[in-house]
Amino acid sequence: MPNIGLRGSTFNGMNSFQCNGTAVASSFGGNTFNGNTTFTSTNTGIWYLANVQGDDFNANVTFTQTGSGVLRPAYTADCTFSGNITTNTSIITFGSNGGRLILDGSTNQQIGGTTSPIWRKARMLNTSGGVTQNTPTITVVLDMDFQQGVLSVPTGNMLIFNDNALATAMSNSSFVDGQVRKVGNDAFTFPTGDATFYAPVSISAPTTTTHH
């Protein structure tokens, strides 16, 4: 299978990329996507996106994994997303090798799709409109940095922080309006609030790593 390089390019209009076959595909990164973009993995290997440099998504993006392989956005480098993010069919993990998902839109951004994504590292940097979580869960593995913008989690959905995961930099400018769960035996300050006010709730360290 030829490699899908995607290195240092600017893509305008609607874009669609599909990875087939069995080999590992590694995209260098450093790309700018100005139109709605879809990535579909039907292969049995691994498809790394932003393996060296970060990608910048200025419109909506959809990640779909239908094969037995894995699709890894924001793999090594930090990537910025200013539109909606949709994940379909299989669970998609962002930042598997150190990259950070950065939500930097200037209007409301929607997180949706048929599966609940995993964010190893994330940053809220939305300047207006905030972000709405329409998936049942989003799981944070390492940390989520709240710089700007409110993450709205509608009733019935939940933002989950795994054992040892951190929530940082919360303020009236950035917090979670909705249900948050912390798993593990760590002291933790929940990044919660309501409307325009940050209203944290803190717990001391539980006794077991499976506590929630």
Side-chain angles (χ1 to χ4, degrees), residues 90 136 160 181:
S90 297
I160 301 172
R181 171 181 286 179

Side-chain angles (χ1 to χ4, degrees), residues 133 135-139 153-154 156-160 178-181:
Q133 176 188 322
T135 56
T137 63
I138 293 173
T139 300
V153 182
N157 297 342
M158 183 184 303
L159 179 67
I160 301 172
Q179 189 170 3
V180 179
R181 171 181 286 179

Side-chain angles (χ1 to χ4, degrees), residues 161-174:
F161 286 83
N162 271 2
D163 185 30
N164 298 321
L166 302 174
T168 61
M170 298 82 72
S171 68
N172 286 339
S173 298
S174 189

